[in-house]
Amino acid sequence: MFALSGNAYTGQKTLKEPTSTLVEVGSPSSDDTPLALRNDQHILEDSKTSTIEPSLTGSDVVPDPLLEDLERVMADITLKDEPADKEVDRATLLVQASLFKQEAEFQRVMVYRDRGWNHNKDKGDTFFKAQRENADKADDEGEQRFYKMMIKIAHDLDSTTEALHPPVLAGRNIKVMDICMAPGGYSAAVLQMHPGAEIFGLTLPKNEGGHSMVLPINKLRGIKYADVTMLASEMLKGTDKTVPKSYPDSAKFNPLRPFVSHKMDLVFLDGIVLRTHERASYRQQNEPLRLSTAQLVLGMQRLTQGGTLVMLMHKVDSWASVNVIYTFSKFATLHLFKPKSAHATRSSFYLVARNVDVESPLAAAAVAEWKNKWYNATFGGPVGTGGDVPEPEDTVVLGILRTFGERLIQMGIPLWKIQADALAKSVYAGDVPSAPGRKKESQSEV
Ligand SMILES: C[S@@+](CC[C@H](N)C(=O)[O-])C[C@H]1O[C@@H](n2cnc3c(N)ncnc32)[C@H](O)[C@@H]1O
């Protein structure tokens, strides 16, 4: 039973279950098991209507030991790392069960998230409400602070991962595309490191709710103000699809293909869905997926062979993140990075993909898949304004956990440690009650 009492999981490794690796949990041949399971189920269903005596019984169905194991863990976990009323998709629950079973740092994060979202809900709500209000009314001073924070994050990112020094340069000036650029801290850091850098930016116009630029635009080779999720020509390139005429906002799609004649050594995808971005009601639910897939498609279609891509992501333990990280692992060298100096209490982190083999069939397949997802999230569903995000089969999730789970844990540990340590000191999830004079978390983070 994984129910927690006191601080059982907030300290050292205290797993009561054996800390077997995922590879050990499934037998070497069990990769084939899910298929056998599906086939057997199919035969059993057919047998209901058959006049022939069924030759199989439920006890003949070969269960997948990994699935059984994770379902047990899922049933035992009493922690909720989201608000109680938020539904978590099954694929994420499977991923989390697997991490929870194996890794104490992940358990610590879950305990603190549960405290913040559920046990200390009132404190957490008050804290985040104030933080949201601050972010939404960000004035010039706020933008300046945010800009400086982003410059610092970029330097930390580079000193840990060399993200701002792509290996492809060979002495020439670096070319950078900064997608979701404002206020421009990342590009400012690039210019500090590479004074001759040619930088091309794209960012949401301020009159649509985007951030203002602080980096002077005369330092750039080019800048476009546009909503990246509406670049239909970019998203539909190479497909046989078009924007359906029935779509209520079809005139808002943008035929622009920004900086299409350039190949970039480094692309930043740093978009985050903003509350200040006014959108039709049908563009609420799927917007995070529309934004991430749009950035991925545009970024990959501009990146040079062997270049570097940096992407802001959320929750390394969510299926959405695992899927993207795993996809990049097939054609790039990966690092995950979480700054300690900002957003430490949050689940956000950066994926740094270096030596990206954009010309490989695996990369092409990934881009095609992201285009499909963008299309479905935009035009799918019964009324054509965005369908539900399809859930993967359990077998797909288990397959990735088997082959990639160990690596995911190794990459995730430093991130969970930073977040758990920061949450331990927070007023809403921390170990110590807040006391007068104790440093409060910054409320100026956006
Ligand atoms: C975290 S900030 C980026 C900070 C930036 N990387 C820096 O270093 O200063 C997120 C940015 O995404 C932009 N953004 C959000 N939604 C967007 C969209 N649909 N299209 C283009 N930009 C968008 C916001 O306006 C904001 O500038």
Side-chain angles (χ1 to χ4, degrees), residues 120-434:
N120 295 344
K121 188 174 178 311
D122 291 347
K123 272 191 196 168
D125 286 353
T126 312
F127 177 83
F128 287 112
K129 185 164 173 276
Q131 200 176 49
R132 276 196 300 275
E133 284 169 2
N134 254 345
D136 288 351
K137 64 172 192 282
D139 50 10
D140 287 355
E141 214 180 291
E143 287 287 16
Q144 282 286 346
R145 266 200 313 273
F146 181 38
Y147 174 66
K148 285 185 186 144
M149 181 181 90
M150 293 311 302
I151 295 177
K152 176 155 179 20
I153 291 178
H155 280 277
D156 292 349
L157 176 70
D158 187 62
S159 54
T160 314
T161 65
E162 296 183 30
L164 276 61
H165 288 88
V168 281
L169 293 184
R172 63 184 168 74
N173 276 340
I174 186 172
K175 268 187 162 183
V176 180
M177 182 150 183
D178 193 346
I179 301 173
C180 299
M181 175 189 233
Y186 273 3
S187 288
V190 169
L191 284 164
Q192 289 166 351
M193 293 176 207
H194 309 272
E198 295 180 48
I199 302 185
F200 303 81
L202 179 132
T203 203
L204 190 66
K206 199 160 166 16
N207 64 6
E208 290 182 29
H211 282 276
S212 336
M213 281 298 291
V214 175
L215 176 69
I217 57 171
N218 62 7
K219 307 246 184 231
L220 307 173
R221 263 292 299 276
I223 182 155
K224 305 273 185 213
Y225 294 97
D227 179 345
V228 66
T229 72
M230 299 301 275
L231 301 181
S233 305
E234 196 70 47
M235 299 305 130
L236 301 177
K237 180 191 163 267
T239 74
D240 55 4
K241 298 185 172 109
T242 52
V243 172
K245 294 221 164 39
S246 57
Y247 188 80
D249 264 344
S250 54
K252 284 199 177 158
F253 285 96
N254 193 335
L256 182 73
R257 295 201 60 212
F259 314 118
V260 67
S261 59
H262 296 272
K263 280 287 169 205
M264 311 292 177
D265 304 302
L266 172 61
V267 296
F268 292 119
L269 319 180
D270 201 21
I272 178 161
V273 176
L274 298 177
R275 283 179 302 278
T276 49
H277 182 188
E278 281 182 22
R279 304 178 302 273
S281 56
Y282 54 77
R283 269 186 67 188
Q284 297 303 326
Q285 194 178 326
N286 286 350
E287 201 64 4
L289 181 65
R290 294 187 67 250
L291 182 58
S292 62
T293 48
Q295 292 183 97
L296 282 163
V297 169
L298 177 60
M300 288 292 283
Q301 289 186 164
R302 291 297 173 280
L303 194 63
T304 199
Q305 173 68 1
T308 296
L309 177 146
V310 176
M311 183 177 191
L312 173 66
M313 303 185 78
H314 301 274
K315 265 197 169 178
V316 69
D317 44 288
S318 73
W319 167 249
S321 295
V322 172
N323 201 13
V324 170
I325 298 168
Y326 174 68
T327 300
F328 270 101
S329 76
K330 297 185 221 166
F331 50 80
T333 314
L334 299 191
H335 289 97
L336 303 185
F337 170 77
K338 180 165 180 58
K340 285 189 186 145
S341 56
H343 300 163
T345 53
R346 303 202 183 168
S347 300
S348 54
F349 67 99
Y350 292 95
L351 167 72
V352 178
R354 304 182 88 225
N355 307 306
V356 181
D357 187 359
V358 283
E359 290 168 4
S360 76
L362 291 168
V367 173
E369 175 74 19
W370 290 323
K371 285 181 178 172
N372 260 332
K373 285 188 171 161
W374 175 86
Y375 195 88
N376 180 53
T378 307
F379 304 118
V383 285
T385 53
D388 288 342
V389 179
E391 285 246 14
E393 299 271 338
D394 285 354
T395 50
V396 174
V397 183
L398 297 181
I400 292 180
L401 289 174
R402 279 196 169 95
T403 53
F404 192 65
E406 192 54 39
R407 185 135 179 251
L408 182 71
I409 288 177
Q410 291 318 313
M411 290 196 288
I413 288 173
L415 279 51
W416 296 316
K417 180 163 173 28
I418 291 170
Q419 191 184 6
D421 289 351
L423 284 171
K425 294 183 205 131
S426 70
V427 285
Y428 52 89
D431 292 325
V432 193
S434 67

Side-chain angles (χ1 to χ4, degrees), residues 1-73:
M1 179 77 177
F2 287 97
L4 300 163
S5 58
N7 265 358
Y9 288 92
T10 59
Q12 307 298 310
K13 282 199 186 268
T14 51
L15 283 171
K16 292 171 196 159
E17 297 268 295
T19 53
S20 56
T21 65
L22 283 169
V23 184
E24 286 162 11
V25 172
S27 67
S29 61
S30 61
D31 275 346
D32 297 326
T33 309
L35 194 59
L37 176 64
R38 278 215 304 274
N39 288 344
D40 286 351
Q41 279 171 336
H42 182 67
I43 293 167
L44 281 170
E45 272 165 25
D46 282 351
S47 71
K48 283 181 207 152
T49 52
S50 163
T51 50
I52 305 165
E53 272 291 297
S55 57
L56 286 171
T57 67
S59 60
D60 293 318
V61 176
V62 182
D64 182 327
L66 177 55
L67 183 59
E68 289 188 326
D69 195 30
L70 296 184
E71 282 187 326
R72 262 193 307 274
V73 179

